[in-house]
Amino acid sequence: MAAWGERLAGVRGVLLDISGVLYDGGEGGGAPIAGSVEALARLKRSQLKVRFCTNESQKSRGDLVGMLRRLGFDISEGEVTAPAPATCLILKERGLRPHLLIHDGVRSEFDQIDTSNPNCVVIADAGEGFSYQNMNKAFQVLMELENPVLLSLGKGRYYKETSGLMLDVGPYMKALEYACGIEAEVVGKPSPEFFKSALREMGLEAHQAIMIGDDIMGDVSGAQRCGMRALQVRTGKFRPSDEHHPEVKADGYVDNLAEAVDLLLQHADK
Amino acid sequence: MAAWGERLAGVRGVLLDISGVLYDGGEGGGAPIAGSVEALARLKRSQLKVRFCTNESQKSRGDLVGMLRRLGFDISEGEVTAPAPATCLILKERGLRPHLLIHDGVRSEFDQIDTSNPNCVVIADAGEGFSYQNMNKAFQVLMELENPVLLSLGKGRYYKETSGLMLDVGPYMKALEYACGIEAEVVGKPSPEFFKSALREMGLEAHQAIMIGDDIMGDVSGAQRCGMRALQVRTGKFRPSDEHHPEVKADGYVDNLAEAVDLLLQHADK
């Protein structure tokens, strides 16, 4: 593999995944990953542009940022690209009135959305809200529509909490796709539209930006298919087999965000 | 289409689907389909071998047969090929100890199965048992296995109850497949192994048997891909569009089991 200087040449901005990179979620709000608070602070003091790109769909953007600030991270709401606000834009643009299968923690993001007489279903990481009854209701709403529309806030397979691996929204999206014989529209990583909106908000072209994430598909493959570079951290949901994935090869593997920032500050934009 | 005499020539045994052919399920246990009790009695008095082949996975075979006998059907446990007993055979043959994600109504079928220290997951139509917690537990068991094995009792998308459409096991099987990046082994129709075990139990070759069912994929297509013939009844989940399916063509369509038995007694094995 080429030297780091070559791999990171021309990078002017960094897109950071949040869960599994900055912190690990879990009971009591989660805990920072060792070195990440300080690494983010160093990154923000550098000349590199920084933006956060998350598929978090259990919390509103405000609650997420509040929690991260309490953990010590330098982050503000305006720096975060998240699927719930992106979904609200799509709903308004297309005149869609959703049946919401979502976590109560993110419901406030949809306060301004008309949910009467639904003509689509929005599914997010509902956690315990993925009861049989709630899934069956979403299924029935879709089956009654002439042109069933299913919007999914991400399609992650699972994430890691302190208590272990937890099913994400993706498996439930697949369940509804199979039950109804339809294909969902994904809002969030790895959707190219979602990465592009984050790049627009940073004012950079894809080749000038690098994604740092723990998810080989959602972060690494998604960003690369968008023309960006991508580093995978060996924290969060990273598994050693990711480094031998048959199809996806990150532009580099690092132990954690701190190592990624060390390398970036040393080699980027040189 | 060829005359019935030609289409039914050489048939020596009949495989009967249960739900939608003998009876319709619903509140209070369901009701026989008009003419089916008497048609089954006539069939069993004939020289044709008879066996039942069902994907029922919410009830034990004993409970299912007890319910059908109360509705007036001449049926005994030993005549029924059902996915739960077939799964138990597979578990024993392969030394598999399952984590069970199943309905309480079918749990007794697994009484003799060692479920300690699981090395596979068995999923069936668990209904309300498909909570997030139960799905997540099954997912975690699979993710901890070096070679994750998922056995699914059928893969139906949904079924109809008096209260509306209900999600079947298939969507939840798909959810776990996606979450773990694996492919489930389906035990039940339309799995060829399942049809073959029913044929073995009848002592017949595929070309000597005919399937009668209401499901164009699970019953008709499944049996035909196994080398059997298949009739579709216009009862149960039959939809008129089934008769114009682009890929699957039954060997005959009949209004109900009574008409199928009339034709079989007149033309089979001539």
Side-chain angles (χ1 to χ4, degrees), chain A residues 127 132 136 140 155 157-158 165-167 171-172 174-175 178-179 239, chain B residues 127 132 135-136 139-140 143 155 157 165-167 171 175 178-180:
Chain A
Y132 182 72
N136 213 55
Q140 289 173 346
K155 60 172 189 175
R157 292 159 60 196
Y158 56 86
L165 298 181
M166 307 293 281
L167 287 170
Y172 287 93
K174 288 287 176 187
Y178 177 72
R239 290 158 73 103
Chain B
Y132 181 72
M135 279 291 284
N136 211 55
F139 160 68
Q140 289 174 344
M143 290 298 275
K155 61 172 187 176
R157 292 161 59 197
L165 297 182
M166 307 293 284
L167 288 168
Y178 178 73
C180 303

PDB file of all heavy atoms in Angstrom, chain A residues 127 132 136 140 155 157-158 165-167 171-172 174-175 178-179 239, chain B residues 127 132 135-136 139-140 143 155 157 165-167 171 175 178-180:
ATOM      1  N   GLY A 127     -35.487   0.808  17.828  1.00  0.00           N
ATOM      2  CA  GLY A 127     -35.117   0.047  19.030  1.00  0.00           C
ATOM      3  C   GLY A 127     -36.287  -0.801  19.506  1.00  0.00           C
ATOM      4  O   GLY A 127     -36.899  -1.542  18.726  1.00  0.00           O
ATOM      5  N   TYR A 132     -43.791  -6.461  17.181  1.00  0.00           N
ATOM      6  CA  TYR A 132     -44.546  -7.104  16.100  1.00  0.00           C
ATOM      7  C   TYR A 132     -45.713  -6.220  15.696  1.00  0.00           C
ATOM      8  O   TYR A 132     -45.995  -6.026  14.515  1.00  0.00           O
ATOM      9  CB  TYR A 132     -45.039  -8.475  16.543  1.00  0.00           C
ATOM     10  CG  TYR A 132     -45.797  -9.209  15.454  1.00  0.00           C
ATOM     11  CD1 TYR A 132     -45.133  -9.737  14.360  1.00  0.00           C
ATOM     12  CD2 TYR A 132     -47.178  -9.358  15.520  1.00  0.00           C
ATOM     13  CE1 TYR A 132     -45.810 -10.396  13.348  1.00  0.00           C
ATOM     14  CE2 TYR A 132     -47.874 -10.018  14.525  1.00  0.00           C
ATOM     15  CZ  TYR A 132     -47.186 -10.536  13.430  1.00  0.00           C
ATOM     16  OH  TYR A 132     -47.868 -11.180  12.432  1.00  0.00           O
ATOM     17  N   ASN A 136     -46.229  -4.689  12.081  1.00  0.00           N
ATOM     18  CA  ASN A 136     -47.403  -5.131  11.329  1.00  0.00           C
ATOM     19  C   ASN A 136     -48.231  -3.928  10.874  1.00  0.00           C
ATOM     20  O   ASN A 136     -48.781  -3.920   9.777  1.00  0.00           O
ATOM     21  CB  ASN A 136     -48.245  -6.059  12.203  1.00  0.00           C
ATOM     22  CG  ASN A 136     -48.933  -7.114  11.386  1.00  0.00           C
ATOM     23  OD1 ASN A 136     -48.291  -7.851  10.650  1.00  0.00           O
ATOM     24  ND2 ASN A 136     -50.246  -7.161  11.475  1.00  0.00           N
ATOM     25  N   GLN A 140     -49.145  -2.991   7.113  1.00  0.00           N
ATOM     26  CA  GLN A 140     -50.529  -2.820   6.649  1.00  0.00           C
ATOM     27  C   GLN A 140     -50.718  -1.474   5.947  1.00  0.00           C
ATOM     28  O   GLN A 140     -51.420  -1.396   4.933  1.00  0.00           O
ATOM     29  CB  GLN A 140     -51.496  -2.953   7.833  1.00  0.00           C
ATOM     30  CG  GLN A 140     -51.602  -4.388   8.357  1.00  0.00           C
ATOM     31  CD  GLN A 140     -52.423  -4.505   9.638  1.00  0.00           C
ATOM     32  OE1 GLN A 140     -52.701  -3.507  10.293  1.00  0.00           O
ATOM     33  NE2 GLN A 140     -52.809  -5.731   9.987  1.00  0.00           N
ATOM     34  N   LYS A 155     -29.496   2.177   6.495  1.00  0.00           N
ATOM     35  CA  LYS A 155     -29.805   0.750   6.323  1.00  0.00           C
ATOM     36  C   LYS A 155     -28.753  -0.088   7.041  1.00  0.00           C
ATOM     37  O   LYS A 155     -28.399  -1.183   6.619  1.00  0.00           O
ATOM     38  CB  LYS A 155     -29.923   0.378   4.844  1.00  0.00           C
ATOM     39  CG  LYS A 155     -28.679   0.609   4.012  1.00  0.00           C
ATOM     40  CD  LYS A 155     -28.892  -0.003   2.629  1.00  0.00           C
ATOM     41  CE  LYS A 155     -27.622   0.002   1.810  1.00  0.00           C
ATOM     42  NZ  LYS A 155     -27.780  -0.682   0.509  1.00  0.00           N
ATOM     43  N   ARG A 157     -26.816  -2.543   9.467  1.00  0.00           N
ATOM     44  CA  ARG A 157     -27.189  -3.885   9.927  1.00  0.00           C
ATOM     45  C   ARG A 157     -27.263  -3.924  11.442  1.00  0.00           C
ATOM     46  O   ARG A 157     -28.184  -4.495  12.009  1.00  0.00           O
ATOM     47  CB  ARG A 157     -26.169  -4.896   9.411  1.00  0.00           C
ATOM     48  CG  ARG A 157     -26.233  -5.071   7.892  1.00  0.00           C
ATOM     49  CD  ARG A 157     -24.945  -5.656   7.335  1.00  0.00           C
ATOM     50  NE  ARG A 157     -24.676  -6.952   7.907  1.00  0.00           N
ATOM     51  CZ  ARG A 157     -23.496  -7.569   7.855  1.00  0.00           C
ATOM     52  NH1 ARG A 157     -22.471  -6.989   7.261  1.00  0.00           N
ATOM     53  NH2 ARG A 157     -23.328  -8.753   8.393  1.00  0.00           N
ATOM     54  N   TYR A 158     -26.273  -3.356  12.094  1.00  0.00           N
ATOM     55  CA  TYR A 158     -26.261  -3.376  13.553  1.00  0.00           C
ATOM     56  C   TYR A 158     -25.257  -2.355  14.051  1.00  0.00           C
ATOM     57  O   TYR A 158     -24.451  -1.838  13.277  1.00  0.00           O
ATOM     58  CB  TYR A 158     -25.901  -4.760  14.101  1.00  0.00           C
ATOM     59  CG  TYR A 158     -24.596  -5.301  13.607  1.00  0.00           C
ATOM     60  CD1 TYR A 158     -23.394  -4.977  14.246  1.00  0.00           C
ATOM     61  CD2 TYR A 158     -24.535  -6.123  12.492  1.00  0.00           C
ATOM     62  CE1 TYR A 158     -22.184  -5.457  13.785  1.00  0.00           C
ATOM     63  CE2 TYR A 158     -23.322  -6.613  12.016  1.00  0.00           C
ATOM     64  CZ  TYR A 158     -22.156  -6.274  12.667  1.00  0.00           C
ATOM     65  OH  TYR A 158     -20.953  -6.734  12.218  1.00  0.00           O
ATOM     66  N   LEU A 165     -23.923  -6.174  20.617  1.00  0.00           N
ATOM     67  CA  LEU A 165     -24.402  -5.758  19.301  1.00  0.00           C
ATOM     68  C   LEU A 165     -25.921  -5.600  19.320  1.00  0.00           C
ATOM     69  O   LEU A 165     -26.629  -6.399  19.919  1.00  0.00           O
ATOM     70  CB  LEU A 165     -24.008  -6.797  18.245  1.00  0.00           C
ATOM     71  CG  LEU A 165     -22.506  -7.029  18.048  1.00  0.00           C
ATOM     72  CD1 LEU A 165     -22.278  -8.059  16.950  1.00  0.00           C
ATOM     73  CD2 LEU A 165     -21.795  -5.731  17.714  1.00  0.00           C
ATOM     74  N   MET A 166     -26.406  -4.572  18.645  1.00  0.00           N
ATOM     75  CA  MET A 166     -27.837  -4.287  18.604  1.00  0.00           C
ATOM     76  C   MET A 166     -28.295  -4.156  17.152  1.00  0.00           C
ATOM     77  O   MET A 166     -27.631  -3.494  16.340  1.00  0.00           O
ATOM     78  CB  MET A 166     -28.136  -2.958  19.321  1.00  0.00           C
ATOM     79  CG  MET A 166     -27.589  -2.867  20.731  1.00  0.00           C
ATOM     80  SD  MET A 166     -28.403  -3.999  21.867  1.00  0.00           S
ATOM     81  CE  MET A 166     -29.919  -3.101  22.182  1.00  0.00           C
ATOM     82  N   LEU A 167     -29.451  -4.735  16.823  1.00  0.00           N
ATOM     83  CA  LEU A 167     -30.003  -4.618  15.478  1.00  0.00           C
ATOM     84  C   LEU A 167     -30.307  -3.160  15.161  1.00  0.00           C
ATOM     85  O   LEU A 167     -30.930  -2.456  15.944  1.00  0.00           O
ATOM     86  CB  LEU A 167     -31.301  -5.425  15.370  1.00  0.00           C
ATOM     87  CG  LEU A 167     -31.153  -6.937  15.322  1.00  0.00           C
ATOM     88  CD1 LEU A 167     -32.519  -7.592  15.475  1.00  0.00           C
ATOM     89  CD2 LEU A 167     -30.507  -7.386  14.027  1.00  0.00           C
ATOM     90  N   PRO A 171     -32.145  -4.324   9.029  1.00  0.00           N
ATOM     91  CA  PRO A 171     -32.879  -5.588   9.010  1.00  0.00           C
ATOM     92  C   PRO A 171     -34.403  -5.392   8.965  1.00  0.00           C
ATOM     93  O   PRO A 171     -35.106  -6.151   8.281  1.00  0.00           O
ATOM     94  CB  PRO A 171     -32.450  -6.260  10.319  1.00  0.00           C
ATOM     95  CG  PRO A 171     -31.090  -5.686  10.590  1.00  0.00           C
ATOM     96  CD  PRO A 171     -31.140  -4.267  10.092  1.00  0.00           C
ATOM     97  N   TYR A 172     -34.897  -4.377   9.640  1.00  0.00           N
ATOM     98  CA  TYR A 172     -36.335  -4.133   9.632  1.00  0.00           C
ATOM     99  C   TYR A 172     -36.794  -3.530   8.306  1.00  0.00           C
ATOM    100  O   TYR A 172     -37.897  -3.798   7.832  1.00  0.00           O
ATOM    101  CB  TYR A 172     -36.715  -3.260  10.839  1.00  0.00           C
ATOM    102  CG  TYR A 172     -36.633  -4.065  12.121  1.00  0.00           C
ATOM    103  CD1 TYR A 172     -35.479  -4.075  12.890  1.00  0.00           C
ATOM    104  CD2 TYR A 172     -37.690  -4.868  12.525  1.00  0.00           C
ATOM    105  CE1 TYR A 172     -35.383  -4.842  14.037  1.00  0.00           C
ATOM    106  CE2 TYR A 172     -37.613  -5.640  13.665  1.00  0.00           C
ATOM    107  CZ  TYR A 172     -36.455  -5.628  14.427  1.00  0.00           C
ATOM    108  OH  TYR A 172     -36.367  -6.410  15.551  1.00  0.00           O
ATOM    109  N   LYS A 174     -35.382  -4.393   5.496  1.00  0.00           N
ATOM    110  CA  LYS A 174     -35.405  -5.575   4.625  1.00  0.00           C
ATOM    111  C   LYS A 174     -36.669  -6.396   4.853  1.00  0.00           C
ATOM    112  O   LYS A 174     -37.238  -6.965   3.920  1.00  0.00           O
ATOM    113  CB  LYS A 174     -34.173  -6.453   4.893  1.00  0.00           C
ATOM    114  CG  LYS A 174     -32.882  -5.867   4.380  1.00  0.00           C
ATOM    115  CD  LYS A 174     -32.804  -5.935   2.873  1.00  0.00           C
ATOM    116  CE  LYS A 174     -31.545  -5.255   2.347  1.00  0.00           C
ATOM    117  NZ  LYS A 174     -31.536  -5.164   0.878  1.00  0.00           N
ATOM    118  N   ALA A 175     -37.103  -6.493   6.118  1.00  0.00           N
ATOM    119  CA  ALA A 175     -38.313  -7.251   6.435  1.00  0.00           C
ATOM    120  C   ALA A 175     -39.517  -6.652   5.714  1.00  0.00           C
ATOM    121  O   ALA A 175     -40.306  -7.378   5.091  1.00  0.00           O
ATOM    122  CB  ALA A 175     -38.543  -7.277   7.945  1.00  0.00           C
ATOM    123  N   TYR A 178     -39.343  -7.219   1.878  1.00  0.00           N
ATOM    124  CA  TYR A 178     -39.712  -8.590   1.486  1.00  0.00           C
ATOM    125  C   TYR A 178     -41.214  -8.804   1.641  1.00  0.00           C
ATOM    126  O   TYR A 178     -41.865  -9.382   0.762  1.00  0.00           O
ATOM    127  CB  TYR A 178     -38.934  -9.580   2.346  1.00  0.00           C
ATOM    128  CG  TYR A 178     -39.268 -11.042   2.088  1.00  0.00           C
ATOM    129  CD1 TYR A 178     -38.851 -11.678   0.915  1.00  0.00           C
ATOM    130  CD2 TYR A 178     -39.991 -11.782   3.022  1.00  0.00           C
ATOM    131  CE1 TYR A 178     -39.150 -13.008   0.684  1.00  0.00           C
ATOM    132  CE2 TYR A 178     -40.281 -13.117   2.797  1.00  0.00           C
ATOM    133  CZ  TYR A 178     -39.861 -13.732   1.626  1.00  0.00           C
ATOM    134  OH  TYR A 178     -40.161 -15.047   1.399  1.00  0.00           O
ATOM    135  N   ALA A 179     -41.777  -8.320   2.759  1.00  0.00           N
ATOM    136  CA  ALA A 179     -43.202  -8.543   3.023  1.00  0.00           C
ATOM    137  C   ALA A 179     -44.065  -7.897   1.946  1.00  0.00           C
ATOM    138  O   ALA A 179     -45.075  -8.472   1.523  1.00  0.00           O
ATOM    139  CB  ALA A 179     -43.576  -8.000   4.399  1.00  0.00           C
ATOM    140  N   ARG A 239     -14.633  -5.132  12.829  1.00  0.00           N
ATOM    141  CA  ARG A 239     -14.255  -6.517  13.096  1.00  0.00           C
ATOM    142  C   ARG A 239     -12.985  -6.816  12.291  1.00  0.00           C
ATOM    143  O   ARG A 239     -12.843  -6.344  11.166  1.00  0.00           O
ATOM    144  CB  ARG A 239     -15.373  -7.478  12.677  1.00  0.00           C
ATOM    145  CG  ARG A 239     -16.612  -7.396  13.568  1.00  0.00           C
ATOM    146  CD  ARG A 239     -17.853  -7.913  12.865  1.00  0.00           C
ATOM    147  NE  ARG A 239     -17.843  -9.365  12.731  1.00  0.00           N
ATOM    148  CZ  ARG A 239     -18.548 -10.197  13.497  1.00  0.00           C
ATOM    149  NH1 ARG A 239     -19.322  -9.733  14.464  1.00  0.00           N
ATOM    150  NH2 ARG A 239     -18.509 -11.500  13.313  1.00  0.00           N
TER     151      ARG A 239
ATOM    152  N   GLY B 127     -45.243 -14.600  15.812  1.00  0.00           N
ATOM    153  CA  GLY B 127     -46.290 -13.603  16.088  1.00  0.00           C
ATOM    154  C   GLY B 127     -45.768 -12.516  17.014  1.00  0.00           C
ATOM    155  O   GLY B 127     -44.726 -11.916  16.766  1.00  0.00           O
ATOM    156  N   TYR B 132     -38.422  -6.702  19.660  1.00  0.00           N
ATOM    157  CA  TYR B 132     -37.050  -6.285  19.367  1.00  0.00           C
ATOM    158  C   TYR B 132     -36.071  -7.075  20.216  1.00  0.00           C
ATOM    159  O   TYR B 132     -35.023  -7.535  19.736  1.00  0.00           O
ATOM    160  CB  TYR B 132     -36.886  -4.790  19.639  1.00  0.00           C
ATOM    161  CG  TYR B 132     -35.487  -4.296  19.338  1.00  0.00           C
ATOM    162  CD1 TYR B 132     -35.052  -4.171  18.025  1.00  0.00           C
ATOM    163  CD2 TYR B 132     -34.600  -3.967  20.358  1.00  0.00           C
ATOM    164  CE1 TYR B 132     -33.777  -3.731  17.737  1.00  0.00           C
ATOM    165  CE2 TYR B 132     -33.320  -3.516  20.074  1.00  0.00           C
ATOM    166  CZ  TYR B 132     -32.914  -3.403  18.761  1.00  0.00           C
ATOM    167  OH  TYR B 132     -31.644  -2.976  18.479  1.00  0.00           O
ATOM    168  N   MET B 135     -35.697 -10.646  18.841  1.00  0.00           N
ATOM    169  CA  MET B 135     -34.960 -10.636  17.568  1.00  0.00           C
ATOM    170  C   MET B 135     -33.484 -10.347  17.828  1.00  0.00           C
ATOM    171  O   MET B 135     -32.598 -10.953  17.223  1.00  0.00           O
ATOM    172  CB  MET B 135     -35.543  -9.573  16.635  1.00  0.00           C
ATOM    173  CG  MET B 135     -36.778 -10.005  15.896  1.00  0.00           C
ATOM    174  SD  MET B 135     -36.420 -11.290  14.649  1.00  0.00           S
ATOM    175  CE  MET B 135     -35.661 -10.272  13.363  1.00  0.00           C
ATOM    176  N   ASN B 136     -33.227  -9.400  18.734  1.00  0.00           N
ATOM    177  CA  ASN B 136     -31.843  -9.027  19.008  1.00  0.00           C
ATOM    178  C   ASN B 136     -31.082 -10.191  19.651  1.00  0.00           C
ATOM    179  O   ASN B 136     -29.910 -10.424  19.353  1.00  0.00           O
ATOM    180  CB  ASN B 136     -31.807  -7.801  19.922  1.00  0.00           C
ATOM    181  CG  ASN B 136     -30.600  -6.948  19.669  1.00  0.00           C
ATOM    182  OD1 ASN B 136     -30.372  -6.532  18.547  1.00  0.00           O
ATOM    183  ND2 ASN B 136     -29.807  -6.739  20.692  1.00  0.00           N
ATOM    184  N   PHE B 139     -30.194 -12.615  16.974  1.00  0.00           N
ATOM    185  CA  PHE B 139     -29.108 -12.010  16.196  1.00  0.00           C
ATOM    186  C   PHE B 139     -27.777 -12.157  16.920  1.00  0.00           C
ATOM    187  O   PHE B 139     -26.758 -12.560  16.334  1.00  0.00           O
ATOM    188  CB  PHE B 139     -29.461 -10.532  15.967  1.00  0.00           C
ATOM    189  CG  PHE B 139     -28.300  -9.659  15.609  1.00  0.00           C
ATOM    190  CD1 PHE B 139     -27.644  -9.809  14.398  1.00  0.00           C
ATOM    191  CD2 PHE B 139     -27.875  -8.662  16.486  1.00  0.00           C
ATOM    192  CE1 PHE B 139     -26.579  -8.983  14.077  1.00  0.00           C
ATOM    193  CE2 PHE B 139     -26.814  -7.844  16.165  1.00  0.00           C
ATOM    194  CZ  PHE B 139     -26.158  -8.009  14.958  1.00  0.00           C
ATOM    195  N   GLN B 140     -27.772 -11.876  18.216  1.00  0.00           N
ATOM    196  CA  GLN B 140     -26.520 -11.962  18.983  1.00  0.00           C
ATOM    197  C   GLN B 140     -26.004 -13.405  19.029  1.00  0.00           C
ATOM    198  O   GLN B 140     -24.790 -13.635  18.923  1.00  0.00           O
ATOM    199  CB  GLN B 140     -26.736 -11.431  20.399  1.00  0.00           C
ATOM    200  CG  GLN B 140     -26.920  -9.909  20.436  1.00  0.00           C
ATOM    201  CD  GLN B 140     -27.288  -9.375  21.808  1.00  0.00           C
ATOM    202  OE1 GLN B 140     -27.695 -10.133  22.689  1.00  0.00           O
ATOM    203  NE2 GLN B 140     -27.169  -8.073  21.999  1.00  0.00           N
ATOM    204  N   MET B 143     -24.356 -14.076  15.726  1.00  0.00           N
ATOM    205  CA  MET B 143     -23.109 -13.344  15.519  1.00  0.00           C
ATOM    206  C   MET B 143     -21.957 -13.920  16.346  1.00  0.00           C
ATOM    207  O   MET B 143     -20.791 -13.672  16.037  1.00  0.00           O
ATOM    208  CB  MET B 143     -23.300 -11.867  15.855  1.00  0.00           C
ATOM    209  CG  MET B 143     -24.166 -11.138  14.861  1.00  0.00           C
ATOM    210  SD  MET B 143     -23.511 -11.083  13.174  1.00  0.00           S
ATOM    211  CE  MET B 143     -22.418  -9.650  13.276  1.00  0.00           C
ATOM    212  N   LYS B 155     -41.027 -19.621   4.779  1.00  0.00           N
ATOM    213  CA  LYS B 155     -40.551 -18.261   4.484  1.00  0.00           C
ATOM    214  C   LYS B 155     -41.691 -17.411   3.932  1.00  0.00           C
ATOM    215  O   LYS B 155     -41.485 -16.530   3.097  1.00  0.00           O
ATOM    216  CB  LYS B 155     -39.355 -18.288   3.529  1.00  0.00           C
ATOM    217  CG  LYS B 155     -39.609 -18.902   2.165  1.00  0.00           C
ATOM    218  CD  LYS B 155     -38.392 -18.674   1.280  1.00  0.00           C
ATOM    219  CE  LYS B 155     -38.654 -19.121  -0.147  1.00  0.00           C
ATOM    220  NZ  LYS B 155     -37.528 -18.834  -1.045  1.00  0.00           N
ATOM    221  N   ARG B 157     -44.537 -14.627   3.360  1.00  0.00           N
ATOM    222  CA  ARG B 157     -44.466 -13.176   3.557  1.00  0.00           C
ATOM    223  C   ARG B 157     -45.529 -12.713   4.551  1.00  0.00           C
ATOM    224  O   ARG B 157     -45.261 -11.932   5.446  1.00  0.00           O
ATOM    225  CB  ARG B 157     -44.654 -12.457   2.219  1.00  0.00           C
ATOM    226  CG  ARG B 157     -43.486 -12.694   1.274  1.00  0.00           C
ATOM    227  CD  ARG B 157     -43.853 -12.402  -0.174  1.00  0.00           C
ATOM    228  NE  ARG B 157     -44.295 -11.035  -0.341  1.00  0.00           N
ATOM    229  CZ  ARG B 157     -44.972 -10.566  -1.388  1.00  0.00           C
ATOM    230  NH1 ARG B 157     -45.297 -11.394  -2.373  1.00  0.00           N
ATOM    231  NH2 ARG B 157     -45.330  -9.311  -1.459  1.00  0.00           N
ATOM    232  N   LEU B 165     -54.169  -8.423   7.325  1.00  0.00           N
ATOM    233  CA  LEU B 165     -52.930  -9.107   6.937  1.00  0.00           C
ATOM    234  C   LEU B 165     -51.949  -9.103   8.112  1.00  0.00           C
ATOM    235  O   LEU B 165     -51.814  -8.117   8.819  1.00  0.00           O
ATOM    236  CB  LEU B 165     -52.298  -8.400   5.739  1.00  0.00           C
ATOM    237  CG  LEU B 165     -53.120  -8.388   4.453  1.00  0.00           C
ATOM    238  CD1 LEU B 165     -52.345  -7.704   3.330  1.00  0.00           C
ATOM    239  CD2 LEU B 165     -53.529  -9.787   4.031  1.00  0.00           C
ATOM    240  N   MET B 166     -51.257 -10.205   8.286  1.00  0.00           N
ATOM    241  CA  MET B 166     -50.315 -10.362   9.391  1.00  0.00           C
ATOM    242  C   MET B 166     -48.971 -10.812   8.838  1.00  0.00           C
ATOM    243  O   MET B 166     -48.894 -11.724   8.009  1.00  0.00           O
ATOM    244  CB  MET B 166     -50.802 -11.432  10.372  1.00  0.00           C
ATOM    245  CG  MET B 166     -52.225 -11.228  10.867  1.00  0.00           C
ATOM    246  SD  MET B 166     -52.410  -9.770  11.919  1.00  0.00           S
ATOM    247  CE  MET B 166     -51.695 -10.374  13.443  1.00  0.00           C
ATOM    248  N   LEU B 167     -47.890 -10.223   9.339  1.00  0.00           N
ATOM    249  CA  LEU B 167     -46.547 -10.615   8.928  1.00  0.00           C
ATOM    250  C   LEU B 167     -46.276 -12.068   9.336  1.00  0.00           C
ATOM    251  O   LEU B 167     -46.519 -12.455  10.471  1.00  0.00           O
ATOM    252  CB  LEU B 167     -45.502  -9.715   9.584  1.00  0.00           C
ATOM    253  CG  LEU B 167     -45.413  -8.278   9.057  1.00  0.00           C
ATOM    254  CD1 LEU B 167     -44.549  -7.436   9.990  1.00  0.00           C
ATOM    255  CD2 LEU B 167     -44.853  -8.258   7.647  1.00  0.00           C
ATOM    256  N   PRO B 171     -40.435 -12.315   6.529  1.00  0.00           N
ATOM    257  CA  PRO B 171     -39.785 -11.016   6.726  1.00  0.00           C
ATOM    258  C   PRO B 171     -38.766 -11.036   7.866  1.00  0.00           C
ATOM    259  O   PRO B 171     -37.708 -10.400   7.761  1.00  0.00           O
ATOM    260  CB  PRO B 171     -40.970 -10.091   7.052  1.00  0.00           C
ATOM    261  CG  PRO B 171     -42.142 -10.734   6.367  1.00  0.00           C
ATOM    262  CD  PRO B 171     -41.905 -12.207   6.471  1.00  0.00           C
ATOM    263  N   ALA B 175     -34.744 -10.385   7.787  1.00  0.00           N
ATOM    264  CA  ALA B 175     -34.093  -9.416   8.682  1.00  0.00           C
ATOM    265  C   ALA B 175     -32.817 -10.023   9.274  1.00  0.00           C
ATOM    266  O   ALA B 175     -31.757  -9.389   9.268  1.00  0.00           O
ATOM    267  CB  ALA B 175     -35.053  -8.992   9.788  1.00  0.00           C
ATOM    268  N   TYR B 178     -30.038 -10.518   6.612  1.00  0.00           N
ATOM    269  CA  TYR B 178     -29.352  -9.254   6.294  1.00  0.00           C
ATOM    270  C   TYR B 178     -28.444  -8.821   7.443  1.00  0.00           C
ATOM    271  O   TYR B 178     -27.292  -8.418   7.218  1.00  0.00           O
ATOM    272  CB  TYR B 178     -30.395  -8.179   6.001  1.00  0.00           C
ATOM    273  CG  TYR B 178     -29.815  -6.818   5.705  1.00  0.00           C
ATOM    274  CD1 TYR B 178     -29.175  -6.565   4.499  1.00  0.00           C
ATOM    275  CD2 TYR B 178     -29.921  -5.785   6.626  1.00  0.00           C
ATOM    276  CE1 TYR B 178     -28.639  -5.303   4.222  1.00  0.00           C
ATOM    277  CE2 TYR B 178     -29.392  -4.522   6.356  1.00  0.00           C
ATOM    278  CZ  TYR B 178     -28.755  -4.294   5.155  1.00  0.00           C
ATOM    279  OH  TYR B 178     -28.229  -3.054   4.887  1.00  0.00           O
ATOM    280  N   ALA B 179     -28.960  -8.923   8.663  1.00  0.00           N
ATOM    281  CA  ALA B 179     -28.183  -8.465   9.819  1.00  0.00           C
ATOM    282  C   ALA B 179     -26.875  -9.241   9.933  1.00  0.00           C
ATOM    283  O   ALA B 179     -25.834  -8.677  10.263  1.00  0.00           O
ATOM    284  CB  ALA B 179     -29.002  -8.603  11.097  1.00  0.00           C
ATOM    285  N   CYS B 180     -26.922 -10.541   9.650  1.00  0.00           N
ATOM    286  CA  CYS B 180     -25.747 -11.406   9.870  1.00  0.00           C
ATOM    287  C   CYS B 180     -24.978 -11.686   8.575  1.00  0.00           C
ATOM    288  O   CYS B 180     -23.920 -12.321   8.630  1.00  0.00           O
ATOM    289  CB  CYS B 180     -26.183 -12.740  10.476  1.00  0.00           C
ATOM    290  SG  CYS B 180     -27.106 -12.559  12.019  1.00  0.00           S
TER     291      CYS B 180
END
